[in-house]
Amino acid sequence: EGRRISLAANPNYWGGKPKLDRVDFYYLTDAGAALQAYREGRIDVTPLAAQDQITATADATLNRELLTGPVAWTTFLAMNAKRSPFDEKAVRVAFSQALDREGFARQVLAGQGKAYLSFLPPGIPGYDPSAVQEGYDPKATVQRLVDAGYGASRSSKSDPPKIDCKVLGDVKLTFPDTARNRLRYQFISNNLSQVIGCPFPLDPVDPSTFAAMMRKPEIAPQLLLQSWVQDYPHPQDWLSAFTCGGLLSSGIAYCNQDFDKALAPANAEADGAKALGKYKAA
């Protein structure tokens, strides 16, 4: 806390002298603390966390100053392909089927988000409704894990299949330790435990430690929430994050050479309509 980035006005700017001498960006990891700083006039703008929405709308001053609208932002459950058991594709698919996105949007985001199954959200150029992940299906989750060799020995074809938690191994939910993050990850822990039948303990760490962990897939969390907020409305801005060594893929050891090869001609295509077709192919 207390760290900041200061951007000073350039006196040689071609458009004339800026109206502001400086803009400061403060590194505040706790959304509640950020809202309090806004109330006290120590910062001028802050995102509003879902948990603070009721408070803000009930306050005459905050409600008057609140700006709302759709945001091109995706939050997803990322799985570290370098660490067991997520080095197996079948396990990654199973955990996708275990995630109750609708419940998360309703209970944790308090209606500030919608559940969908694609990385590019609807409304973004290049959005492809056929490019989706496996949706919530608890029964299929367990069966897929059993088929992958994680079934308990006592399970039989006539019994409800069960997972051998020892074979699956320890899976921790590591996250930057804030009160708001605890709520998010507690929902995921309960959700996965209910579906799979194994414990998924919380592993809160200092935010700075978490950032350092993400630089090396070998020590990065097994399972975590990642987010992408659009820089500009173009599929290149989204898809390039998952190329080999990309901003999102590097921390979870994801690399698909075929995807990279398919993406390259899309990035090089000058014709917008043709480019969208190539992005869809990628």
Side-chain angles (χ1 to χ4, degrees), residues 74-243:
T74 296
T75 296
F76 57 96
L77 188 63
M79 307 169 203
N80 190 338
K82 199 83 171 180
R83 298 185 60 184
S84 177
F86 301 106
D87 50 352
E88 287 190 58
K89 181 178 179 179
V91 175
R92 299 196 296 270
V93 175
F95 272 70
S96 177
Q97 293 176 300
L99 181 62
D100 182 4
R101 296 164 179 81
E102 294 282 355
F104 188 91
R106 182 176 60 254
Q107 297 180 37
V108 179
L109 299 182
Q112 279 197 358
K114 293 183 179 181
Y116 44 90
L117 299 173
S118 57
F119 179 54
L120 272 72
I124 299 301
Y127 167 70
D128 182 356
S130 68
V132 294
Q133 303 301 312
E134 299 284 351
Y136 184 51
D137 191 335
K139 185 176 181 180
T141 294
V142 175
Q143 189 59 56
R144 190 179 294 273
L145 289 174
V146 169
D147 292 344
Y150 294 95
S153 58
R154 63 181 178 275
S155 293
S156 66
K157 292 182 180 180
S158 60
D159 295 329
K162 296 180 182 179
I163 302 304
D164 188 327
C165 298
K166 291 184 178 180
V167 176
L168 186 64
D170 295 331
V171 177
K172 297 185 297 183
L173 293 168
T174 305
F175 59 93
D177 189 15
T178 68
R180 305 299 167 82
N181 272 343
R182 283 180 179 267
L183 291 175
R184 298 182 184 109
Y185 281 85
Q186 188 63 64
F187 176 92
I188 295 173
S189 175
N190 293 341
N191 170 195
L192 296 180
S193 295
Q194 184 176 9
V195 172
I196 298 174
C198 299
F200 296 93
L202 301 184
D203 180 34
V205 298
D206 178 80
S208 298
T209 301
F210 183 86
M213 292 173 65
M214 289 302 298
R215 298 190 185 103
K216 295 181 179 180
E218 293 80 5
I219 61 172
Q222 295 165 285
L223 198 61
L224 71 152
L225 290 175
Q226 284 190 312
S227 294
W228 185 258
V229 183
Q230 176 176 275
D231 298 298
Y232 47 91
H234 195 283
Q236 189 276 337
D237 179 56
W238 292 80
L239 300 182
S240 62
F242 272 109
T243 55

Side-chain angles (χ1 to χ4, degrees), residues 7-10 17-23:
L7 304 179
N10 182 354
K17 179 177 172 57
K19 294 181 180 180
L20 299 178
D21 295 326
R22 189 181 79 246
V23 176

Side-chain angles (χ1 to χ4, degrees), residues 89 239 242-244 254-267 278-282:
K89 181 178 179 179
L239 300 182
F242 272 109
T243 55
C244 297
Y254 179 80
C255 178
N256 186 320
Q257 297 287 353
D258 292 335
F259 170 69
D260 285 19
K261 291 177 182 177
L263 190 63
N267 290 339
K278 293 180 179 180
Y279 282 115
K280 183 175 181 179

